[in-house]
Amino acid sequence: MNGIQIKNNRILYYGNTAGYLDTKRDTAIVDPMFENDELKSYLSNTRGLNIEWMPGTFDRLAAGKLDPEGNLQVLKKCRVHQLKPDADIMMKFIGYDELTERFGEPDPANYQAVYDGEVETNDLEELYAKFNLDHPPGYEGHSLSMSDVVELYDESGSSFHYVDRFGFREIPFQGSEQEQTQGPQMSM
């Protein structure tokens, strides 16, 4: 009996669901608690996969975070953009309609990234709760509020979501190259 198997894009390690396959990238996403030479060899040498060790994968799989078709929800990375301290104070904490009426579309030059990392969900309402109640490590901003922009991204692209009076509004926002390559900056 082989202790390592792949069934329905799930990686089973001696009966435990250790990870899943991201078939678009030929990558095995595996919880680091299963990291060992046997599993590495099977995934990379036998199956020809890239391996990405992602903390929390086992917990997400155990919690059953699935998409509507029953596949494991592939997590995107998340950036939170907040207005810079020197941005016009009248732009802060207002709804999208008021912002566009008074200042035009949100301008990426007025924003800074205060978080860039992985969180355990792609759901915007869950992200709102996360960035208000239980900030992830490395989060350097204030609690998520109106006028902030949440970016969900992966190698296929980004989507930007303005925090509006009620919920989110997808917007055509593009962060600056500097912020995307350097990550969040400390604000003093």
Side-chain angles (χ1 to χ4, degrees):
M1 175 184 149
N2 186 355
I4 306 173
Q5 300 174 333
I6 296 178
K7 289 185 177 177
N8 299 325
N9 290 336
R10 308 256 172 134
I11 300 164
L12 302 175
Y13 184 77
Y14 293 95
N16 296 298
T17 305
Y20 61 95
L21 297 182
D22 180 347
T23 55
K24 292 178 186 173
R25 300 186 301 145
D26 288 330
T27 300
I29 312 297
V30 186
D31 195 295
M33 76 173 153
F34 295 97
E35 186 173 353
N36 63 53
D37 292 339
E38 180 186 21
L39 186 55
K40 281 183 200 174
S41 175
Y42 175 79
L43 294 172
S44 62
N45 299 337
T46 306
R47 301 297 296 247
L49 297 166
N50 301 311
I51 304 172
E52 187 174 319
W53 303 101
M54 183 179 296
T57 300
F58 177 79
D59 292 336
R60 286 190 304 109
L61 290 167
K65 298 266 183 174
L66 305 175
D67 68 15
E69 286 104 33
N71 300 314
L72 181 69
Q73 184 183 39
V74 177
L75 289 180
K76 294 185 173 187
K77 291 187 177 179
C78 176
R79 280 191 194 104
V80 175
H81 304 267
Q82 294 182 338
L83 287 165
K84 293 177 179 175
D86 61 347
D88 187 336
I89 194 164
M90 300 304 288
M91 297 172 78
K92 296 182 179 183
F93 311 112
I94 61 175
Y96 181 78
D97 289 338
E98 186 178 355
L99 177 78
T100 56
E101 184 179 308
R102 295 170 68 189
F103 301 98
E105 289 289 327
D107 182 355
N110 291 327
Y111 283 81
Q112 63 184 3
V114 295
Y115 180 76
D116 187 354
E118 296 172 350
V119 287
E120 58 273 358
T121 183
N122 292 339
D123 182 88
L124 292 170
E125 296 300 329
E126 290 180 23
L127 288 172
Y128 184 82
K130 177 82 177 169
F131 288 108
N132 275 289
L133 303 174
D134 183 24
H135 297 169
Y139 185 70
E140 299 172 354
H142 57 73
S143 292
L144 198 62
S145 305
M146 280 192 297
S147 76
D148 296 344
V149 176
V150 175
E151 176 184 1
L152 296 174
Y153 69 98
D154 60 18
E155 53 283 333
S156 66
S158 294
S159 62
F160 299 93
H161 308 272
Y162 187 89
V163 182
D164 209 351
R165 290 194 179 282
F166 303 101
F168 293 82
R169 184 180 296 213
E170 189 164 355
I171 60 170
F173 182 88
Q174 189 60 253
S176 72
E177 289 296 319
Q178 181 181 15
E179 286 180 351
Q180 290 184 9
T181 58
Q182 291 183 348
Q185 302 294 313
M186 291 286 289
S187 57
M188 301 293 223

